[in-house]
Amino acid sequence: MSKNMPNAGDFMEHTIEYYKEEIRKPVIPELEVTSLADYINFTVAAKESYRRALFRGQADKEWEIESSAYRALKANFKVPTQKMMRDYHTDLIREFRQLGENIEYKGVSLIAHLQHNGAKTFLLDYTKNPLVALWFACISEKEKDAGVYMAKTGVGTDEWIPLDGDIEIADLFAKKDITYQYEPAKINRRIICQQSVFLVSLSGKIEKSKHITVVIPKKHKDEILSQLSAVGISRSVLFPDFYGLVEWFSIEWFSFNKEAEKEDYDKLMSSGAKYTDQFKFEEAVTVFEEAAGLAQSLFGENSAETAASYGSLGNVYDDQGKYDQALEWFEKALAIREKVLGKEHPDTASTYNNIALVYDDQGKYDQALEWFEKALAIAEKVLGKEHPDTASTYNNIASVYYRQGEYDKALEWFEKALAIFEKTLGKEHPDTATTYNNVASVYDNQGKYDQALEWYEKALNIYEKVLGKNHPSTVLTRENMERTIKKMDGAP
């Protein structure tokens, strides 16, 4: 929420007085709503001052309030004139009349009929029902914040002038360029259900300053649509005619099936992870490849989901020791993440980390350290030096030094990781226990068996308490201790 925008609770405490005092100021009062309940409270309070208020919903609050004809003219002429608007509508009606259709409408009522059938006109759709406007605001452009605009009718000079639907276009454009209101005859179910009203501006647009603006954040659009559906405001209700039915079916069918496909993608990724944990690598590869294909279809090649599936394939090949294939998939994932998320995103750092692990497994320690340091730079900058993910990278760097036999450096990095794990996760967390185990291994390889046993015992106590006596980590630590004791006793 922006700094100057009141929240719903504060706004509703004074909304009637606020509008009485602020209505003619140049700053448009705005209210950000995040639920249907907040929106209803706003409209009930606001309509006490504007009993004949009209509402218009726009899926992107950055759009200007422009008619379809104005937008079409603007696409071809940088600055549409009123003469262009008049000539366009005159030609539109003439072309229609030449078809010989036996239509009783004329003037503005004929323009409304043509717009109902898809023509671009100067008519701006509004509704008397604020819930209908809210539905139109939320139904599309899901990545944009929406706006509902309440036309400030019913107060002094802001009253819209009623317009006779039979007025001819030439006579209309001879009038003063102010905003008129035209209420179409209730000739079909759509007009009735949407409680349609048109505002007519000879210029083809209306300034936002003539409205009170309600902003709907993009992340709340779907939730509000669900709430509207629960009270009977949906596409099938608002578009009950044949055209509406066809459009509604197509949109709803594709929307439903896209959501189903997204669920399938999530299930495939989950199944692939389970196969990997069970060491069923062939099955995991098959499932992750299917997930990658579905991700490309649903989200596109350059998407976080596609990158995630590529990364999972890299992990499977790494687990199998197929390092060249693992690097190939990790590099594909990295190319997407650097492009889409940027080079300083945690997911990008995770891919750097995965590449480093492959080089570590190959014994290419210098390259492993290079990639771990890339991951570390991002983790420290974005997540901070005391984040568990940063500690994990410290652990990885320590492991490289350990395998190189540089035990003092290994201990230094393990101790950095340990300090973070103990502080953020606690002294009885499995990740803390793993670091205790790593420290013990360093002392073990240095021949400092008493210290090694001390740290093994710390790890063992946590594993037995948290994971159980038969967990693989518990069993491995117990075996490490037994080997160390034998070394102390001089056994080979």
Side-chain angles (χ1 to χ4, degrees), residues 145-381:
D145 294 339
V148 173
Y149 301 93
M150 192 183 87
K152 300 182 293 189
T153 62
V155 178
T157 57
D158 287 320
E159 181 80 47
W160 310 121
I161 305 301
L163 191 65
D164 182 356
D166 290 337
I167 187 171
E168 295 294 350
I169 296 302
D171 295 333
L172 173 62
F173 276 89
K175 284 179 168 287
K176 184 179 179 182
D177 184 13
I178 58 176
T179 303
Y180 300 92
Q181 177 180 327
Y182 169 59
E183 186 166 349
K186 296 177 176 58
I187 58 173
N188 60 56
R189 293 169 63 198
R190 191 193 303 185
I191 289 175
I192 296 170
C193 292
Q194 295 183 12
Q195 298 185 45
S196 298
V197 178
F198 295 112
L199 290 186
V200 182
S201 169
L202 302 185
S203 67
K205 62 179 183 176
I206 302 177
E207 297 300 322
K208 286 184 177 178
S209 59
K210 292 182 176 292
H211 301 76
I212 296 169
T213 303
V214 176
V215 176
I216 300 95
K218 58 188 177 184
K219 65 181 180 180
H220 296 291
K221 282 186 173 183
D222 286 338
E223 179 185 358
I224 290 174
L225 282 175
S226 296
Q227 294 168 348
L228 286 169
S229 180
V231 296
I233 304 295
S234 64
R235 187 182 299 275
S236 59
V237 172
L238 299 180
F239 292 88
D241 51 14
F242 177 76
Y243 171 80
L245 173 63
V246 172
E247 183 183 36
W248 168 80
F249 175 81
S250 299
I251 292 175
E252 292 295 324
W253 189 91
F254 287 115
S255 175
F256 173 80
N257 280 278
K258 187 170 184 179
E259 289 302 317
E261 295 274 356
K262 289 179 181 178
E263 290 181 10
D264 288 344
Y265 166 81
D266 291 336
K267 289 176 183 177
L268 287 169
M269 293 295 287
S270 178
S271 296
K274 288 179 181 177
Y275 283 131
T276 304
D277 291 341
Q278 295 168 355
F279 304 104
K280 297 179 179 179
F281 298 127
E282 289 186 9
E283 292 89 338
V285 167
T286 299
V287 170
F288 282 135
E289 285 179 345
E290 186 178 349
L294 189 55
Q296 290 169 355
S297 173
L298 286 174
F299 310 108
E301 173 65 23
N302 292 318
S303 66
E305 292 80 5
T306 300
S309 60
Y310 289 168
S312 295
L313 282 164
N315 286 326
V316 176
Y317 284 116
D318 187 26
D319 288 343
Q320 295 178 88
K322 297 179 179 179
Y323 301 126
D324 290 340
Q325 287 166 283
L327 282 174
E328 179 185 343
W329 286 105
F330 284 140
E331 286 166 0
K332 283 185 176 183
L334 180 61
I336 296 172
R337 284 172 170 162
E338 286 186 335
K339 181 177 182 179
V340 176
L341 303 176
K343 292 187 177 182
E344 294 188 347
H345 191 278
D347 288 352
T348 306
S350 176
T351 312
Y352 291 159
N353 200 66
N354 289 336
I355 291 172
L357 289 169
V358 175
Y359 286 125
D360 190 19
D361 289 340
Q362 290 179 305
K364 298 178 179 179
Y365 300 125
D366 290 341
Q367 287 167 281
L369 282 174
E370 178 186 343
W371 285 92
F372 279 138
E373 286 166 1
K374 284 186 176 184
L376 180 61
I378 298 172
E380 287 184 335
K381 182 175 182 180

Side-chain angles (χ1 to χ4, degrees), residues 58-60 63 135-146 221-222 225 235:
Q58 297 195 161
D60 185 345
W63 291 343
W135 184 88
F136 279 104
C138 294
I139 195 61
S140 63
E141 302 293 334
K142 296 303 178 70
E143 298 303 313
K144 302 289 186 180
D145 294 339
K221 282 186 173 183
D222 286 338
L225 282 175
R235 187 182 299 275

Side-chain angles (χ1 to χ4, degrees), residues 90-118:
T90 301
D91 291 345
L92 175 64
I93 289 178
R94 183 177 64 252
E95 289 295 322
F96 175 77
R97 292 295 186 196
Q98 288 178 356
L99 292 175
E101 294 285 341
N102 185 22
I103 298 294
E104 60 186 26
Y105 311 119
K106 62 180 181 179
V108 174
S109 62
L110 175 56
I111 293 296
H113 176 74
L114 293 174
Q115 175 160 305
H116 180 78
N117 286 278

